[in-house]
Amino acid sequence: MQRAIKYAHDNELRFFANEFRADGPKHLTASLERKGCQRDFIPPKEVELSLTLLEQRTGPEFVVRFAVDQVLSKQAPDFDDDVLYNLNILQENLGAADVFESSATLAQYLDTVRVDWEILPVGNVDDVVRRMLHGKRAVSETSRNTMKQRLNVMARFKPTAFIAGTNGFLRYFGAQFGDNLVAFENLSYGNALYLMYNDWEELSRRSRVDLLKGPRDGFDRIEHRDGWEQRLETLLKEHRKHK
């Protein structure tokens, strides 16, 4: 069997083709070509997840901080790569991730899991978005546009008010359609809308993972797939009809 390797370049990537030839009976020759590209090996880093108990609530409930035990410098040349690496560790293991200053206190961590609400009057969506983002950590233009698009959909169904989390991270925003009827979005996990009914204030304080692993009592989860707006409209009509 013979093997030949041919190389080609595309920008900075090096592609290759492995060609295998084998002689068979009656002077026949068979060949097979397999394509591939050059790969970089990224070795694992010696980082650890640290756990800190932040709060014990009533009943068997605890608030625990999981953190990658590594302080990063914004001036370091590999800062962006290191941040992405550490965020991936948290996302893969916990399904959630965020970035804090190394000087952040435990109280500041707790502020990101406690949710207090700001009720905003119905009005121009651009004005509502500005008020929701005022005093919050900056969001990307893509996230801002997503907020506007989702709030415009909610506005079509005549909410009584818009609503937003008051902590610095804007975990939740949405619209209130009655005392026990609230639609929530989350910029960090933007693939679904949560329509919450009775005890929505308590439900909204639970994590996404906690909500999904338990019984689906008191809320509906609407994934942002084709037709999600119609699904929201249908559920709102059903709930309003029984009030």
Side-chain angles (χ1 to χ4, degrees):
M1 178 180 291
Q2 298 177 343
R3 177 185 180 191
I5 302 177
K6 298 178 291 186
Y7 291 98
H9 292 269
D10 182 5
N11 295 331
E12 297 181 357
L13 292 178
R14 191 181 188 193
F15 293 86
F16 62 84
N18 280 320
E19 186 177 4
F20 299 89
R21 293 194 185 96
D23 294 328
K26 298 182 180 180
H27 306 290
L28 296 177
T29 300
S31 65
L32 173 66
E33 183 175 284
R34 298 180 62 183
K35 296 182 178 180
C37 65
Q38 186 179 15
R39 297 183 180 181
D40 291 330
F41 173 71
I42 302 176
K45 298 183 180 181
E46 295 183 1
V47 296
E48 299 179 353
L49 285 179
S50 64
L51 281 71
T52 304
L53 177 64
L54 299 183
E55 183 178 78
Q56 181 174 355
R57 296 178 176 174
T58 57
E61 292 187 7
F62 302 87
V63 179
V64 179
R65 182 196 69 180
F66 291 78
V68 176
D69 197 11
Q70 182 183 26
V71 177
L72 303 177
S73 170
K74 294 180 180 178
Q75 283 71 45
D78 296 331
F79 174 74
D80 289 342
D81 290 339
D82 288 339
V83 167
L84 181 60
Y85 185 95
N86 291 350
L87 288 174
N88 281 332
I89 290 177
L90 292 170
Q91 188 67 35
E92 290 175 6
N93 287 277
L94 304 170
D98 216 325
V99 179
F100 290 85
E101 298 287 346
S102 59
S103 59
T105 65
L106 296 184
Q108 288 172 313
Y109 285 109
L110 275 174
D111 284 342
T112 69
V113 295
R114 294 191 182 114
V115 183
D116 294 318
W117 301 110
E118 180 181 8
I119 306 299
L120 304 174
V122 175
N124 180 276
V125 168
D126 287 332
D127 293 336
V128 171
V129 170
R130 278 194 292 271
R131 291 189 60 180
M132 285 184 174
L133 294 177
H134 179 69
K136 307 294 193 301
R137 177 175 290 188
V139 301
S140 67
E141 189 65 24
T142 299
S143 294
R144 180 186 292 267
N145 290 335
T146 297
M147 286 183 64
K148 289 174 60 175
Q149 186 264 332
R150 302 281 168 77
L151 289 172
N152 273 316
V153 171
M154 295 180 196
R156 298 207 312 256
F157 305 124
K158 308 301 182 184
T160 58
F162 288 113
I163 188 169
T166 59
N167 67 48
F169 293 90
L170 192 66
R171 291 292 188 187
Y172 293 101
F173 67 95
Q176 189 169 15
F177 298 91
D179 291 340
N180 292 310
L181 186 57
V182 177
F184 281 121
E185 294 278 2
N186 187 316
L187 283 179
S188 298
Y189 312 106
N191 65 327
L193 175 149
Y194 291 82
L195 190 61
M196 296 184 177
Y197 311 116
N198 296 328
D199 299 324
W200 64 266
E201 292 191 45
E202 177 60 31
L203 284 173
S204 65
R205 288 178 168 84
R206 295 166 59 184
S207 70
R208 178 180 63 105
V209 174
D210 190 29
L211 280 174
L212 296 181
K213 73 181 181 182
R216 302 292 181 91
D217 297 331
F219 74 94
D220 281 293
R221 182 175 183 269
I222 305 172
E223 292 191 23
H224 289 299
R225 302 177 183 270
D226 289 342
W228 72 269
E229 298 97 332
Q230 289 75 24
R231 174 65 175 159
L232 174 61
E233 183 178 19
T234 298
L235 288 172
L236 287 173
K237 287 181 177 178
E238 289 179 355
H239 190 82
R240 284 167 164 170
K241 182 174 62 176
H242 292 94
K243 286 294 180 180

